[in-house]
Amino acid sequence: MADKWLIVSCSGLGWTDVENRGMLRTAGLDFRPVASVFPAVTCTVQASFRTATLPREHGMTSNGIFCRHLRKAAFWEQSADLVEGPRIWDAARAQGRSVALFFWQQSLGEAADYLISPAPIHKHEGGMILENYTKPGNLAKLLDASCGTFPLHRYWGPLATPKVGNAILKNTESALQAVSPDILFLYLPTLDYDLQRFGPRDKRCDKSFSLVKSQLERLAALAEKQGRNLLVFGDYAIGEVSASPAFPNRTLRQAGLLATRQVRGMAYPDLYSSRAFAM
């Protein structure tokens, strides 16, 4: 086997979809079922993978955190210090091998040689500058010159599109013209939002699965060209909605445990006074 690795975290790639959509062998890979951790969300799963520990040990127990000193809830924070414990690549780096994390969560400040991560600048007067954080810093200029501005507004939320995976691949291919890490971790969120918008069985998700197949084939070709082993894993599966939704914070508010305050006719959480709330 080759000494170099390309490890891909493929968002929303569940075993049922792999079976039902003819993906058992894709991009030269033979997929098989594995158990995820609980909760099966991106930040928790990626933290478990890179530490080989459970959430109760590494501490990244959701996609958000509650800072008890500030009494604030924050989501999608990117500091690597939020993930506790040794990394699975520590021994490799101690032997002089290089490691890269491209678009993985909680990667800023990580003990790695190369980083690419969305890192928007929130302006004081409002608005946002769409920007990536890179290590080394001059990698950003290469990406800007060859790929243009990263479409962060298409990455998460209601405007998200499966095509953002193409932008990630383009950034990755451009970066690998300048650097050659021995171990590369890559995040591919192509399947994420359409499965949530429409449900995994909806025909409108067909394009997303077709696109992720082509992206994995593109990555397989890249891995072969560079002499890398390729490993792909799904962080969680998205299932059909089978019952009415639960609203835990409404229930906690009605029970007098979640406090709120009225601001311009709207109710906002008062986490300074609340005895219990759900994130």
Side-chain angles (χ1 to χ4, degrees), residues 99-161:
V99 174
L101 279 77
F102 290 174
F103 300 94
W104 267 50
Q105 306 301 324
Q106 286 76 55
S107 62
L108 302 191
E110 184 58 276
D113 302 276
Y114 308 107
L115 299 173
I116 303 176
S117 176
I121 304 297
H122 297 274
K123 297 188 289 186
H124 294 296
E125 70 276 13
M128 183 171 62
I129 302 173
L130 304 182
E131 189 59 83
N132 280 338
Y133 178 97
T134 66
K135 177 185 177 181
N138 59 9
L139 197 56
K141 295 181 179 179
L142 169 67
L143 299 181
D144 290 343
S146 60
C147 305
T149 303
F150 186 81
L152 183 61
H153 60 298
R154 300 293 188 182
Y155 199 162
W156 292 306
L159 296 179
T161 170

Side-chain angles (χ1 to χ4, degrees), residues 147 169 185 248:
C147 305
L169 263 61
F185 295 84

Side-chain angles (χ1 to χ4, degrees), residues 203-220:
K203 290 292 185 183
R204 287 173 289 183
C205 294
D206 291 352
K207 290 183 179 179
S208 296
F209 280 98
S210 177
L211 187 56
V212 82
K213 286 180 184 179
S214 67
Q215 290 169 351
L216 291 176
E217 289 168 355
R218 187 170 161 185
L219 287 171

